[in-house]
Amino acid sequence: MYDDQIYQSRDLAYKRPYGAVPSGTVVEFTLRPQRQEGFSRGVLRACYEFDNNRVEERPLVWTDTELGVDLFTGSLPVGDYAGLVWYSFRLETLGGKSKELGPYQLTVYDPTDVVPSWFGESVCYQIFPDRFCRTEVPNPFGMVGSRTVHGRWDDEPEWRPNENGEVRNRDFFGGSLKGVEQKLDYIASLGVETIYFCPIFEAAENHRYGTADYDHIDPMLGTYEDFTRLCRAAHALGIRVILDGVFNHTGYVSRYFNGDGFYPNCGAAQGKDSPYYDWFQFHRWPDDYESWWGIYSLPAVNKDHSDYRAFIYGDENSVIRRWLRAGADGWRLDVADELPDDFVRGIHEAVRAENPNAILIGEVWEDGSNKVAYGVRRHHILGHHLDGLMNYPFRSALIDFLLGDNGEHFQNRMETIRENYPPSAFYSAMNALGTHDTLRILTYLGVGSQRYEWSKETRAKYHMSSAEIVWGWRRLQLGLMVLFTFPGAPTIYYGDEAGMQGFEDPFNRRPFPWGRENQDILRFYRKMGQLRRETACLRRGDFAWGDCRRNHISYTRTLPEEGVAVAVNNGTADSQVSIPWPFPHAVDLESGHRYIASREGLLSIPVKRMGGVILHYQGRRKDAPHPGTT
């Protein structure tokens, strides 16, 4: 049972401090029942899930009365515990009546894990390497997999199943690391300070998620030297590089499984005496084995095997450490939920040992603070595991708002994340409106739910109408205002800034339309990216909500001497938004209009229908008399 009149976990009048807390914190609670209910005592019950569900009960003592409300207060010292605490309250009367509230989640994290701040401060750019930029049409002869290469860069990716009913993903376009290096100035023009690469290691498929050889760059992408040179060039422009770590499975066509015998060494499919045999789990050798989600081309790896762990992260020359030494600045872990916690912790230790300033991001689609995967509550962001997560809850909530949901729902969904996540994880989240696993955002916002009614052939050929592009772009502008100003790393999926369209894979993975970019969309992305890069309070400022009722989202990002206020309106009528503001005034970055804060510390801002504003102030906080007085 929950009763917001008695207890609100997000309000400092009821719980201090706000949200997740570090080990060693004493959490203070206050309940506020109506005096007429006659409660005389209360009990706080705390269950420490990560300590064998140990239960502790502590008293809640009556301390005062305020305007017909009784105050019952108590505290919970969490000690050196790190994990989830599920707490609840029981209020009792002298006559035996009782009321129970809860359970509520309290996240307790290990503060000894210092998370590098640079990722969450920066704009991130996700590249699907085969489709970004090529410098020449490659010859696939001698490469792993029976590859074909599109001669035309603007060809459509293959999507129809072959004669065996399979979509092999063996058609390549030939994007390369040299192509990315040639476009670094373009990437930097978007305000980008982090590039996140989808897999770049040798693989038979164009997506390269079925790794064939972790030791080598795919030859169609380039060489080890190409990678190190790219990293040096990126670093010279202030851009870091994150790699995709795919460690739940390898490829059927790989040096380790070697299902088709391409590699000269003895893979697990060639013989039980292979050094890789125990990396895999055979039900009946050689053709019946555990595979990722039943996909035979992705044999699942035994992640508990000591040799595999040593190879990935344990050895001095492990995959994790070697590519950090080559120039990478961090890793994103594919399907992090399916890696055991101690495996992730081992990767984390290897990352920090090799480069204390490197980052480790995990792919998790839900609230990562309380995620249960394979019957196990995960340690993802409790410390010494993942530094941040892909923020799909943010994407879902923001898209829902852009398509007409009310701002209060967005606020509540984001407050759940902010309350449950350690601050470092909240500010290091990878926020995106589109990725290689989702529809192109312009298509989603312009076409909407109609996609579910169409055949795949229709989706493959579909081009948005002018009206759909206009509506998609109007919504996307509002989304970008939020994306680039919200806590976490705003992440651009390559080509979204050029106005690329497309439904699901492979239509969301078309080649970048060089020379055919939508210039209006590109200009807006550049403006927002540079704003993020150049505005300190958007990179690391405190966050506070404004008015999020009905059609509005509004909030502020502040530092002691700088602030930004953001307000967007998804409605069909102009509106007025009120935002608490600790500075004397604010300037609309688009129009230049100055808004004066009221004596009560509020900004009243007009917001046009399907519009948004970003206001800025730089200077001293409003500690002196109001600037309108003499």
Side-chain angles (χ1 to χ4, degrees):
M1 176 182 176
Y2 301 92
D3 187 334
D4 286 349
Q5 290 187 335
I6 297 178
Y7 178 72
Q8 300 178 36
S9 65
R10 299 169 186 169
D11 190 328
L12 293 178
Y14 299 84
K15 173 180 171 288
R16 286 180 177 271
Y18 172 88
V21 300
S23 300
T25 302
V26 177
V27 186
E28 304 288 345
F29 298 97
T30 300
L31 302 190
R32 298 171 178 271
Q34 293 293 314
R35 184 161 183 75
Q36 65 190 25
E37 295 195 61
F39 294 117
S40 61
R41 66 184 294 266
V43 177
L44 163 66
R45 185 181 189 273
C47 177
Y48 294 77
E49 181 179 351
F50 286 47
D51 187 13
N52 297 314
N53 289 308
R54 172 174 60 88
V55 174
E56 176 183 1
E57 291 195 349
R58 300 183 65 86
L60 295 169
V61 180
W62 182 92
T63 54
D64 204 350
T65 298
E66 292 179 353
L67 301 175
V69 173
D70 283 328
L71 274 61
F72 290 85
T73 63
S75 63
L76 180 67
V78 298
D80 59 2
Y81 175 82
L84 298 187
V85 178
W86 300 100
Y87 65 95
S88 56
F89 305 105
R90 186 174 69 254
L91 289 167
E92 301 172 342
T93 67
L94 291 175
K97 173 188 171 184
S98 68
K99 175 179 285 189
E100 297 201 14
L101 303 175
Y104 303 87
Q105 175 182 326
L106 173 65
T107 304
V108 184
Y109 60 93
D110 184 345
T112 65
D113 183 15
V114 180
V115 175
S117 63
W118 59 263
F119 178 75
E121 295 181 5
S122 66
V123 177
C124 181
Y125 192 76
Q126 180 187 358
I127 293 178
F128 192 85
D130 184 60
R131 310 288 162 84
F132 183 64
C133 180
R134 75 180 179 190
T135 58
E136 60 184 6
V137 180
N139 181 357
F141 179 77
M143 297 182 186
V144 63
S146 301
R147 308 185 187 193
T148 61
V149 177
H150 292 269
R152 292 175 54 87
W153 183 248
D154 59 355
D155 278 353
E156 281 294 312
E158 292 180 7
W159 60 270
R160 292 182 176 85
N162 63 14
E163 62 277 6
N164 297 318
E166 296 180 298
V167 179
R168 300 297 301 279
N169 295 301
R170 301 289 179 87
D171 65 311
F172 287 76
F173 282 82
S176 66
L177 297 181
K178 287 182 179 178
V180 176
E181 186 177 355
Q182 287 186 5
K183 297 297 184 179
L184 282 177
D185 286 338
Y186 165 82
I187 294 171
S189 77
L190 297 166
V192 168
E193 294 175 85
T194 306
I195 291 173
Y196 153 47
F197 278 109
C198 289
I200 62 173
F201 303 121
E202 186 170 64
E205 295 83 17
N206 52 47
H207 52 70
R208 299 188 174 93
Y209 279 93
T211 311
D213 190 339
Y214 291 103
D215 290 334
H216 293 93
I217 304 292
D218 190 276
M220 198 171 282
L221 286 175
T223 65
Y224 178 90
E225 290 72 25
D226 291 331
F227 177 74
T228 58
R229 187 178 62 249
L230 169 61
C231 290
R232 287 196 299 271
H235 292 161
L237 292 173
I239 299 173
R240 292 179 168 93
V241 174
I242 292 178
L243 297 181
D244 213 332
V246 186
F247 304 134
N248 285 290
H249 49 74
T250 70
Y252 177 83
V253 181
S254 71
R255 182 176 299 280
Y256 319 105
F257 196 82
N258 210 8
D260 67 346
F262 174 84
Y263 289 94
N265 62 278
C266 180
Q270 274 76 52
K272 297 182 180 180
D273 57 346
S274 167
Y276 308 115
Y277 177 79
D278 289 333
W279 287 16
F280 303 94
Q281 301 161 83
F282 289 95
H283 305 299
R284 185 185 64 251
W285 182 85
D287 56 4
D288 186 2
Y289 48 87
E290 287 289 322
S291 61
W292 187 74
W293 286 78
I295 303 172
Y296 85 91
S297 61
L298 299 175
V301 178
N302 178 7
K303 294 172 284 290
D304 291 326
H305 195 278
S306 59
D307 287 351
Y308 181 68
R309 290 185 172 216
F311 174 73
I312 295 299
Y313 65 80
D315 287 347
E316 180 69 22
N317 203 36
S318 63
V319 172
I320 291 294
R321 300 187 68 159
R322 184 185 326 124
W323 291 104
L324 290 174
R325 285 199 294 271
D329 301 281
W331 289 88
R332 174 263 194 190
L333 297 185
D334 184 57
V335 202
D337 286 331
E338 299 184 16
L339 297 170
D341 277 335
D342 59 345
F343 191 98
V344 175
R345 186 179 182 106
I347 291 176
H348 180 277
E349 291 173 354
V351 167
R352 288 291 196 271
E354 191 62 45
N355 179 1
N357 204 36
I359 201 83
L360 187 63
I361 303 296
E363 179 193 13
V364 176
W365 285 66
E366 302 86 6
D367 181 337
S369 70
N370 54 33
K371 180 65 185 291
V372 175
Y374 298 92
V376 177
R377 186 85 68 181
R378 306 310 302 273
H379 287 69
H380 288 322
I381 50 176
L382 297 177
H384 300 284
H385 286 78
L386 296 168
D387 298 321
L389 305 173
M390 298 183 75
N391 199 353
Y392 280 104
F394 168 85
R395 173 183 177 272
S396 298
L398 183 52
I399 288 176
D400 286 348
F401 172 78
L402 298 175
L403 292 177
D405 196 9
N406 69 64
E408 189 175 1
H409 287 167
F410 176 83
Q411 179 184 11
N412 285 336
R413 290 163 75 177
M414 289 301 93
E415 272 297 274
T416 297
I417 298 297
R418 189 163 78 106
E419 181 181 20
N420 288 351
Y421 280 31
S424 61
F426 182 69
Y427 280 86
S428 294
M430 181 184 281
N431 298 342
L433 287 172
T435 73
H436 65 294
D437 287 325
T438 67
L439 281 69
R440 284 285 176 180
I441 187 59
L442 187 64
T443 296
Y444 198 158
L445 296 179
V447 178
S449 61
Q450 298 176 46
R451 66 191 188 278
Y452 297 114
E453 304 168 6
W454 300 339
S455 68
K456 190 160 188 176
E457 183 158 3
T458 300
R459 297 197 299 273
K461 296 178 180 179
Y462 193 79
H463 293 278
M464 297 170 67
S465 68
S466 297
E468 288 170 336
I469 291 174
V470 168
W471 269 107
W473 174 223
R474 289 183 70 179
R475 290 167 173 152
L476 181 54
Q477 287 180 76
L478 303 187
L480 295 177
M481 288 183 176
V482 177
L483 176 67
F484 282 89
T485 58
F486 206 77
T491 302
I492 305 167
Y493 180 46
Y494 86 99
D496 279 350
E497 80 279 10
M500 287 182 69
Q501 304 177 24
F503 291 94
E504 76 282 9
D505 168 23
F507 314 122
N508 59 354
R509 303 176 181 182
R510 293 184 172 112
F512 191 102
W514 296 110
R516 295 178 286 111
E517 301 91 340
N518 183 311
Q519 293 299 321
D520 290 337
I521 296 178
L522 181 56
R523 276 192 293 270
F524 196 80
Y525 267 89
R526 281 180 168 150
K527 181 170 72 173
M528 297 305 300
Q530 292 298 339
L531 175 67
R532 175 67 177 229
R533 184 166 186 160
E534 296 168 1
T535 309
C537 66
L538 292 182
R539 297 168 67 85
R540 53 186 172 271
D542 294 335
F543 175 87
W545 292 104
D547 183 359
C548 292
R549 293 171 296 173
R550 298 180 296 278
N551 299 109
H552 306 133
I553 292 174
S554 67
Y555 51 84
T556 60
R557 303 290 307 279
T558 58
L559 290 170
E561 295 189 350
E562 184 182 42
V564 162
V566 180
V568 295
N569 173 10
N570 72 358
T572 57
D574 297 349
S575 62
Q576 200 84 7
V577 174
S578 182
I579 302 178
W581 189 241
F583 303 102
H585 63 265
V587 176
D588 186 327
L589 290 177
E590 186 68 25
S591 68
H593 183 82
R594 175 179 290 197
Y595 295 89
I596 304 299
S598 70
R599 295 178 183 275
E600 295 74 29
L602 295 175
L603 283 178
S604 182
I605 309 166
V607 188
K608 294 185 180 300
R609 63 189 181 96
M610 289 299 293
V613 294
I614 300 176
L615 310 179
H616 182 248
Y617 176 82
Q618 197 159 22
R620 193 159 59 95
R621 291 178 73 100
K622 196 173 64 174
D623 299 321
H626 190 274
T629 63
T630 57

